[in-house]
Amino acid sequence: MGKYKRIFVIVIDSLGIGQMPDGEKFGDIGVNTLGHISEAVDSFRIPNLQRLGLANLTPLKQVEALESPLGYQAVVREASNGKDTMTGHWEMMGIETKTPFQTFTDHGFPQELITELERRTGHKIIGNKSASGTAIIDELGEEEIATGHMIVYTSADSVLQICGNEETFDLQELYRCCEIARELTLREEWRVGRVIARPYIGKKKGEFERTSNRHDYALKPSGATALNVLKDSGFDVISVGKIVDIFDGEGITQAHKSKSSVHGMEQTLELAQKDFHGLCFVNLVDFDAKWGHRRNPEGYRDELEKFDEKLGLLLETLWEEDLLMISADHGTDPTYTGTDHTREKVPLLAYSKSMKGSGRLPEQETFAVIGATAAENFGVSMPKNTIGTSLLHFLK
C-alpha cells in the first residue's frame, strides 16, 4: 500500500488567487478571485481554510495568515493554453492542452451549425447568443413552452447549451437533442469543450428555475490521464459532482452526481466514512456557476463559508492514512468585467492527520502536480505524454 490509502482531491471551482503571468493575453489584468471577494465584502469567516493556510497564499482583508498553518500550501500555475473547466481538470490529471477549445461568445454559433441542428432535431432554434442561463430562460422560456422551439445559447466558455422545460419539452428529448449537438460539434471548426443540457421548470417569466437534471456532454480527454492508470491498476476512482462529465467517464469506477456544492460536500463526507482504496475526486461547481459568472462576491463569500463548515467536519472525519488536497481549476473573479473565467493561479492545500511537518512549498508550474502525486502514492506510472511531477516527497 502507498503512503496514503485514500486521497481526496476537492476542486473549489474557479477559486483563483491572482493573475497568471500571461493573463494580459487572455484579457485578465489584475484579477484575483479570492482576494477581490475579500475586498468586496464586510465579513468573511473561513476558519478551517485559514487553518490550512489559504490566507497565506494571497492577502485577505478579514482573514489573517497564520505563522504555522496545518499541512502544506502552494501557489500553482496553469501550463495549458486556456482558462476553462475541462482544460483545468484535465491538466490536474496530466494533460497539457495546447490548442484551446472554440468559443462563440461574440456572434453566437455559425448559421450552418444552427441549420443542421434544426434539421437533425426537428426544432426551430431561438436564442443563439452569449447569455446568462437564467436570463435567457426568463427571456425566451415562455416562447419555448408555447411553440416547442429550442433555446440554444453559449457563454464565454467553450460550450453549447440547450434549455428545455421538463414539463413541456421532455427531459429525454432534451438529452436527445444534446447528443445530436455533441456529434455535430466534433467538427474542428465547431469543436466546443462541452454541450450542456439545461433543464428547467416553471410556466412564466420570474418563476422559471433550473433543475439538478443538468447533463454535460464533454469531449473525451485527449489522452490517458492519472485516472486511467489508477483504474487500470485496480484502485478506486470515485467522482463527486461533474468530474464524471468532464472526463466523459474515462478512468472513473464510481460516480456520484451532486445537486449543489453543499450536497457535494455531504456526499464526500459519506464517502470518507467508507472503506476504499484510491482517489476521491470532487468538483464543487456552484462557486463558478452561481456566483463567479454572475459577478456576485457576496454569494461567493457565502458559498465559501458553507464549504468551510463542511470542511471542518471532513477534517474530523479523515483517517490517519488519508491525504486531502484542495485546489481550483481557474478563476472567475466576481469583481471583474464581463462574465468570463479569469486566467489565474490557484491554491493547493495539502493535509493529512499523519503529517509531522508543514509549510509553504515552492510555486508550482502546473496543476498536474496533483495527479502525479496521486500516481506516485499508489505506485503507478503516469501515462506517456503527460506532464507534472509528484509532490509526495514534500508531504511529510
Side-chain angles (χ1 to χ4, degrees), residues 3-4 72 323 350 355 361 373 391-396:
K3 183 175 181 178
Y4 301 105
Y72 295 87
L323 172 64
M355 284 176 176
L361 302 180
T373 299
L391 299 178
L392 196 64
H393 61 288
F394 286 115
L395 308 181
K396 300 175 182 178

Side-chain angles (χ1 to χ4, degrees), residues 60-360:
L60 302 178
K61 183 174 68 173
Q62 309 87 341
V63 185
E64 291 185 7
L66 300 183
E67 187 173 332
S68 299
L70 296 175
Y72 295 87
Q73 309 79 35
V75 173
V76 187
R77 299 183 183 185
E78 183 167 13
S80 295
N81 183 10
K83 54 177 180 177
D84 60 83
T85 297
M86 288 174 58
T87 300
H89 283 79
W90 288 6
E91 182 170 320
M92 286 180 207
M93 294 298 129
I95 292 178
E96 180 181 4
T97 301
K98 296 183 178 179
T99 302
F101 299 115
Q102 297 284 353
T103 57
F104 298 92
T105 310
D106 294 336
H107 306 292
F109 298 102
Q111 187 56 48
E112 184 183 0
L113 170 57
I114 293 298
T115 300
E116 185 62 13
L117 189 55
E118 287 180 332
R119 185 187 72 80
R120 293 276 302 275
T121 63
H123 295 278
K124 176 179 171 58
I125 288 173
I126 54 178
N128 189 27
K129 60 183 178 181
S130 178
S132 155
T134 50
I136 202 163
I137 291 171
D138 259 354
E139 177 189 348
L140 298 174
E142 291 180 1
E143 180 180 348
E144 180 178 74
I145 291 169
T147 63
H149 298 340
M150 185 168 71
I151 301 171
V152 172
Y153 70 106
T154 188
S155 69
D157 300 338
S158 178
V159 292
L160 184 154
Q161 304 185 80
I162 303 179
C163 303
N165 189 291
E166 291 193 9
E167 297 161 326
T168 59
F169 196 90
D170 183 66
L171 192 58
Q172 295 308 313
E173 174 65 7
L174 175 62
Y175 292 161
R176 183 187 74 87
C177 294
C178 287
E179 288 168 3
I180 293 169
R182 177 69 281 177
E183 180 187 340
L184 292 174
T185 54
L186 292 176
R187 282 176 51 172
E188 198 61 35
E189 64 269 30
W190 300 338
R191 183 175 177 260
V192 295
R194 286 175 294 160
V195 171
I196 306 177
R198 291 287 196 177
Y200 65 98
I201 55 174
K203 292 181 170 58
K204 61 181 180 179
K205 182 177 180 178
E207 297 179 358
F208 294 129
E209 182 179 346
R210 296 200 295 198
T211 77
S212 61
N213 289 319
R214 161 184 170 158
H215 185 68
D216 292 38
Y217 299 80
L219 293 172
K220 285 194 178 297
S222 55
T225 72
L227 304 182
N228 295 105
V229 293
L230 289 172
K231 178 182 178 182
D232 292 347
S233 298
F235 294 99
D236 297 308
V237 182
I238 303 170
S239 78
V240 176
K242 65 178 184 177
I243 295 294
V244 68
D245 292 329
I246 294 168
F247 289 86
D248 198 31
E250 290 291 309
I252 305 295
T253 63
Q254 184 184 136
H256 301 265
K257 290 294 187 75
S258 304
K259 298 176 183 177
S260 66
S261 289
V262 170
H263 182 224
M265 283 301 292
E266 291 170 347
Q267 292 171 304
T268 305
L269 280 163
E270 290 177 9
L271 289 164
Q273 297 173 56
K274 297 179 179 179
D275 191 11
F276 67 89
H277 190 189
L279 175 67
C280 178
F281 195 5
V282 181
N283 174 276
L284 306 175
V285 71
D286 287 352
F287 299 95
D288 185 42
K290 285 189 173 181
W291 314 119
H293 283 300
R294 298 182 191 178
R295 296 305 191 239
N296 186 335
E298 292 82 8
Y300 206 127
R301 181 271 318 272
D302 294 346
E303 197 74 49
L304 280 169
E305 292 184 344
K306 293 175 188 175
F307 167 77
D308 194 84
E309 290 179 15
K310 299 295 184 185
L311 175 60
L313 297 175
L314 181 61
L315 292 175
E316 293 176 5
T317 305
L318 291 175
W319 301 347
E320 286 285 327
E321 60 267 42
D322 291 340
L323 172 64
L324 171 66
M325 290 190 280
I326 299 173
S327 193
D329 54 342
H330 51 73
T332 310
D333 188 335
T335 69
Y336 202 56
T337 57
T339 60
D340 195 2
H341 293 155
T342 42
R343 174 81 167 172
E344 295 186 50
K345 302 175 185 180
V346 301
L348 177 60
L349 308 175
Y351 170 73
S352 173
K353 288 182 176 179
S354 65
M355 284 176 176
K356 306 300 182 186
S358 62
R360 179 76 172 264

